[in-house]
Amino acid sequence: YTRLPSGEEYAIPIDRKWEFHRGNLELGETLGEGAFGQVRKGYAIGLWGRLDPIIVAVKMLKNDATEKELNDLVQEMQILMTIGHHINIINFIGACTENGPLYVLVEFAPYGNMRDFLKAQRPQQHFSSGYEMPLHRPLLPDNREAKPLTYKDLVSFSYQVARGMEYLASKKVIHRDLAARNVLVAEDYVLKICDFGLTRNVAQNDYYRKTTDGRLPVKWMAPEALFDRKYSTKSDIWSFGVLLWEIFTFGGTPYPSVPIENLFQLLRDGHRMEPPPCSTIEMYQVMLRCWKYLPADRPTFSDLVQTVDNILSKAM
Ligand code: ADE
């Protein structure tokens, strides 16, 4: 049983083996906030028999959440519990369901979301006029100096996300909001897809809903998802193409100057984004295959894993 913010008791179906004693969890800073939920850093004592505290990410509701939002979090947890482990997704660790609010414990990714990570590591422009500007390399969150990213790193990022999505697709999970903001960067630059267990309600024609950084999620959506709300693994493939574009622009904003009304027509007319300067023709061709108007003409994630693996093995 967990308690709703209203004080009501609520039964949560969970296997005993996943229960984590809430007294052994210390909460830290807020990592992220959504409309109904938040994610906080947590220190778990005694996890996996370890004596040192393990850093985890703790998903929970906000104080004003409703029963429906609790249902969503429970459903997300159930997907996390049942799909099993893969290195390129944020994995489930356990949950505190007893004697208090529901806490869902998942893996912590120290470098945060991929979009901010890429933006922080944009190659510096070289200005040859005037004096030499001191070149400071961006610092990673742990204050280590980041080694400049190479083309091969970017292809490796593309490969890892394709692997994670191939796994999710094999488990019949449709992400519905695949974007660099929903990919987290863990130790050794291992990428982990997150927020895939959400049943999203982009439905209410809320095309103008913005992310916390002011960008429009519709710019990641396949035409059939946008026009007919038809979400599938094939619409995730389209979003993957936009994510590739984000990778090769170091966290750029898709169609920056295009208002939504024009985006609809643009896509119908077959307009697509230009190749990013840091991309190769090969990687741009992958993007274009993901952006085929008809879902059936797009590749599968397994196709993409193969293609990108090929490009990766040739990259210097
Ligand atoms: N922000 C949201 N989820 C996170 C996680 N699992 N690790 C780090 N930061 C996060």
Side-chain angles (χ1 to χ4, degrees):
Y1 289 83
T2 191
R3 228 178 1 259
L4 269 175
S6 65
E8 267 176 282
E9 294 273 308
Y10 188 96
I12 290 176
I14 186 180
D15 197 321
R16 288 290 318 168
K17 74 172 181 202
W18 290 114
E19 185 70 26
F20 187 79
H21 181 57
R22 136 180 359 256
N24 291 338
L25 180 72
E26 191 187 317
L27 290 178
E29 64 188 282
T30 301
L31 297 170
E33 243 172 295
F36 67 87
Q38 55 176 328
V39 182
R40 288 177 67 179
K41 203 169 176 176
Y43 304 86
I45 315 288
L47 191 64
W48 305 317
R50 290 266 292 269
L51 297 170
D52 51 329
I54 306 278
I55 302 180
V56 297
V58 185
K59 290 196 160 210
M60 65 187 82
L61 296 173
K62 285 188 181 170
N63 278 331
D64 52 357
T66 63
E67 183 163 335
K68 175 178 177 306
E69 287 148 358
L70 173 60
N71 262 317
D72 289 347
L73 185 59
V74 169
Q75 198 188 333
E76 186 185 352
M77 176 175 73
Q78 249 138 11
I79 292 175
L80 284 164
M81 273 191 297
T82 49
I83 59 169
H85 188 278
H86 189 277
I87 179 143
N88 297 121
I89 65 174
I90 282 287
N91 290 289
F92 182 63
I93 290 174
C96 308
T97 69
E98 295 169 346
N99 311 315
L102 174 62
Y103 292 161
V104 179
L105 279 52
V106 297
E107 287 176 317
F108 171 71
Y111 300 122
N113 79 68
M114 176 161 67
R115 194 219 165 202
D116 293 343
F117 176 82
L118 288 169
K119 273 186 78 167
Q121 301 204 60
R122 277 197 184 159
Q124 234 111 17
Q125 218 98 41
H126 180 75
F127 299 101
S128 50
S129 61
Y131 67 100
E132 284 288 307
M133 290 212 311
L135 280 182
H136 291 293
R137 274 201 212 128
L139 295 178
L140 290 172
D142 57 4
N143 283 332
R144 266 187 302 169
E145 203 178 76
K147 169 167 78 54
L149 295 175
T150 62
Y151 170 72
K152 190 171 187 160
D153 289 326
L154 302 185
V155 181
S156 155
F157 292 164
S158 312
Y159 176 74
Q160 294 186 57
V161 179
R163 284 294 295 264
M165 285 308 298
E166 180 188 35
Y167 182 74
L168 289 182
S170 78
K171 300 290 174 185
K172 308 277 180 248
V173 172
I174 303 169
H175 192 298
R176 294 184 173 85
D177 196 15
L178 181 60
R181 62 182 169 273
N182 287 326
V183 176
L184 297 173
V185 185
E187 218 58 76
D188 300 322
Y189 294 179
V190 171
L191 298 189
K192 290 172 174 284
I193 299 164
C194 69
D195 279 350
F196 46 82
L198 303 179
T199 41
R200 271 162 239 275
N201 258 315
V202 207
Q204 280 62 53
N205 278 326
D206 194 7
Y207 294 131
Y208 295 88
R209 178 181 62 98
K210 289 186 177 175
T211 62
T212 39
D213 62 5
R215 301 198 302 173
L216 294 160
V218 290
K219 293 186 169 178
W220 280 257
M221 283 166 71
E224 73 279 5
L226 200 52
F227 302 134
D228 309 316
R229 296 172 201 170
K230 282 194 183 131
Y231 288 92
S232 66
T233 294
K234 291 294 187 189
S235 60
D236 279 349
I237 291 274
W238 178 289
S239 310
F240 179 80
V242 182
L243 189 150
L244 289 182
W245 189 92
E246 290 185 276
I247 292 178
F248 287 91
T249 54
F250 286 88
T253 303
Y255 324 92
S257 54
V258 178
I260 295 182
E261 306 78 51
N262 302 12
L263 180 72
F264 298 163
Q265 200 51 48
L266 227 79
L267 295 178
R268 284 204 178 100
D269 294 346
H271 179 279
R272 298 293 181 266
M273 285 191 282
E274 304 281 311
C278 294
S279 174
T280 52
I281 301 280
E282 276 181 311
M283 283 307 303
Y284 184 57
Q285 277 165 349
V286 178
M287 298 175 208
L288 289 180
R289 286 172 64 205
C290 296
W291 299 332
K292 294 275 185 192
Y293 197 88
L294 295 176
D297 293 343
R298 297 173 205 151
T300 65
F301 280 112
S302 297
D303 293 338
L304 291 172
V305 165
Q306 273 197 4
T307 308
V308 179
D309 191 20
N310 243 316
I311 298 173
L312 186 59
S313 63
K314 286 184 296 176
M316 308 275 266

